[in-house]
Amino acid sequence: MAALSGITNGTLEGGDGGNRVTVVLGAQWGDEGKGKVVDLLAMDADLVCRCQGGNNAGHTVVVDSVEYDFHLLPSGVLNRKAISFIGNGVVIHLPGLFEEAEKNCKKGPGLEGWESRTVISDRAHIVFDFHQAADGIQEQQRQQQAGKNLGTTKKGIGPVYSSKASRTGLRICDLLADFEEFTKKFKVLAEQYLNMYPTLSIDVEGELQQLKVYAERIKPLVKDGVYFMYQALHGPAKKILVEGANAALLDIDFGTYPFVTSSNCTVGGVCTGLGIPPRYIGKVYGVVKAYTTRVGVGAFPTEQSNAIGELLQSHGREFGVTTGRKRRCGWLDLVLVRYAHMINGFSAIALTKLDILDGLEEIKVGVEYCLNGKRIPYFPANQEVLNKVDVDYTTLPGWKCSTVEARSSSDLPENAKKYIRFIEEYLQVPVKWVGVGKSRESIIKLF
């Protein structure tokens, strides 16, 4: 198999000595297998950064038959030679961070010494227990008032971003500066939430005591995030990898609103989430599942509520990493992926879970939306409109044989190659990697 590196190295054009960053982003509704792609590229990285989101996102990485689940820690933390950086755009539930590390340490040796190679931005906002409780109450209210909820993970992500936007949130730097002052602000914020949600129960003193303990544990990991990234960009040549959480269609501005996450998980979130200028962004890789899945509610034009959907769900083991919820499944929607490419400008695609299509006689691909009988060249912003679109499909022949043992392009069946070429020609973006299994060895590099 060809060398696995896909990370930009060296200096920017213009000779200013700066390093570019390589970005990996989800191109659908999440669950595309970004963790596997990041893990693969992180083997060759010096620095792996997480730029947004919280522990609502879940990435699964399999190494030496051990399955690790990451929610806050960058997937690259398994590379003991790389530094993992949690940027200011990430919101952090401190108990969740340490629980995640402890659980993964019990699974295998991959996370040993994780604290010594992890850096956290002092500007990252803190998720409190009452944010998580409020998240659950909000979902109940939506269900009662509108008959449907957003399908959040109830990890407090929406409420903490609301606190951030209303300028009442508290950051890591507040926790570590003056605990008495932090205590005052925490109590004011807790009181606000009690006023908003009368059924909410907050153990103010208990949570403060817990936070004081976590402050001591996290203190050695915290640095000024902007200065840290500036040094990384302008110091010696480094391979810097950025891992996006969630995906393009879950972006707060560009996703299928309101059924989205609360952060910018498109390429702009890399700059705001890490504090780096746009000119330092190098390659942007979009991760695309060979079919489409979605967790929770919201429009899904190519969904297959039939035997095909059930087959994809069962063969693909489509259950949410964070919630365990069954994922809805459907055919690959290239209109949706093209929309994600319009926003992110993908340099290349990583096509994952191709092996799940192995047994199909024929495979359909969504290539065009029609509304009221007329073709529309755009992806509708309004959910009610998106629910009304009809999808035109192109039907391609299946390959009816296993790709699981394929380790190079030449090992792939001819019809699988045609499927990949069809995607490339439609998007006008090359497919750089193809995934045919769960492990690192199951990702084929095409060029």
Side-chain angles (χ1 to χ4, degrees), residues 25-36 56-60 153 244-248 250 287-296 316-328 352-353:
L25 299 172
Q28 293 155 300
W29 276 297
D31 311 310
E32 301 95 347
K34 294 182 294 298
K36 297 179 187 65
N56 59 329
H59 294 163
T60 301
T153 57
N246 314 110
L250 293 174
V287 186
V288 178
K289 193 179 288 186
Y291 49 102
T292 310
T293 63
R294 180 164 198 179
V295 173
R317 294 178 62 200
E318 295 295 351
F319 295 93
V321 177
T322 303
T323 63
R325 289 179 294 181
K326 186 182 286 189
R327 295 174 187 142
R328 299 153 62 194
T352 62
K353 302 188 84 164

Side-chain angles (χ1 to χ4, degrees), residues 4 18 104 119 149 157 172 218 247 317 343 357 373 375 387 439:
L4 295 176
N104 280 298
V119 174
N149 54 38
I157 308 307
I172 297 293
I218 204 171
R317 294 178 62 200
I343 298 163
L357 305 180
R375 174 189 174 274
N387 270 318
S439 67

Side-chain angles (χ1 to χ4, degrees), residues 135-386:
D135 202 352
I137 292 171
Q138 287 176 354
E139 282 289 80
Q140 289 177 346
Q141 290 175 344
R142 293 183 191 107
Q143 188 66 46
Q144 291 165 358
Q145 293 165 6
K148 60 182 178 181
N149 54 38
L150 292 181
T152 81
T153 57
K154 301 178 185 176
K155 296 294 184 181
I157 308 307
V160 79
Y161 275 112
S162 295
S163 294
K164 180 177 179 177
S166 64
R167 294 160 292 183
T168 56
L170 289 166
R171 301 182 292 175
I172 297 293
C173 58
D174 300 313
L175 177 64
L176 299 185
D178 182 331
F179 196 76
E180 283 189 21
E181 189 62 31
F182 176 86
T183 297
K184 291 176 188 175
K185 292 177 180 177
F186 178 88
K187 288 180 176 178
V188 169
L189 184 58
E191 188 64 32
Q192 289 175 356
Y193 270 79
L194 285 169
N195 290 333
M196 285 191 290
Y197 307 102
T199 60
L200 193 63
S201 176
I202 303 177
D203 180 4
V204 173
E205 295 303 327
E207 189 163 357
L208 279 168
Q209 196 59 41
Q210 185 186 51
L211 285 163
K212 196 169 188 177
V213 173
Y214 281 116
E216 290 305 311
R217 289 191 68 180
I218 204 171
K219 186 181 266 185
L221 284 63
V222 176
K223 292 186 179 181
D224 183 292
V226 174
Y227 185 61
F228 174 80
M229 283 304 303
Y230 182 84
Q231 286 184 305
L233 293 171
H234 293 275
K238 277 189 175 66
K239 292 186 177 180
I240 304 173
L241 181 63
V242 181
E243 170 184 15
N246 314 110
L249 275 295
L250 293 174
D251 185 277
I252 185 70
D253 289 311
F254 299 107
T256 46
Y257 191 89
F259 305 105
V260 293
T261 192
S262 299
S263 61
N264 287 112
C265 31
T266 42
V267 72
V270 176
C271 295
T272 56
L274 296 176
I276 63 174
R279 71 187 303 259
Y280 289 90
I281 293 177
K283 300 291 186 183
V284 179
Y285 297 129
V287 186
V288 178
K289 193 179 288 186
Y291 49 102
T292 310
T293 63
R294 180 164 198 179
V295 173
V297 292
F300 187 167
T302 63
E303 182 173 14
Q304 298 298 299
S305 301
N306 52 29
I308 290 292
E310 290 174 9
L311 183 147
L312 294 172
Q313 200 282 325
S314 60
H315 286 196
R317 294 178 62 200
E318 295 295 351
F319 295 93
V321 177
T322 303
T323 63
R325 289 179 294 181
K326 186 182 286 189
R327 295 174 187 142
R328 299 153 62 194
C329 298
W331 296 119
L332 177 61
D333 185 339
L334 286 182
V335 179
L336 181 154
V337 179
R338 181 178 60 192
Y339 169 71
H341 175 48
M342 289 177 189
I343 298 163
N344 293 294
F346 298 129
S347 309
I349 295 293
L351 185 68
T352 62
K353 302 188 84 164
L354 185 73
D355 55 303
I356 306 306
L357 305 180
D358 282 352
L360 295 174
E361 191 78 45
E362 60 181 30
I363 300 163
K364 292 186 177 181
V365 182
V367 294
E368 195 168 84
Y369 287 175
C370 293
L371 188 62
N372 300 322
K374 295 182 179 178
R375 174 189 174 274
I376 56 171
Y378 56 88
F379 187 85
N382 181 274
Q383 282 297 283
E384 284 70 31
V385 173
L386 187 58

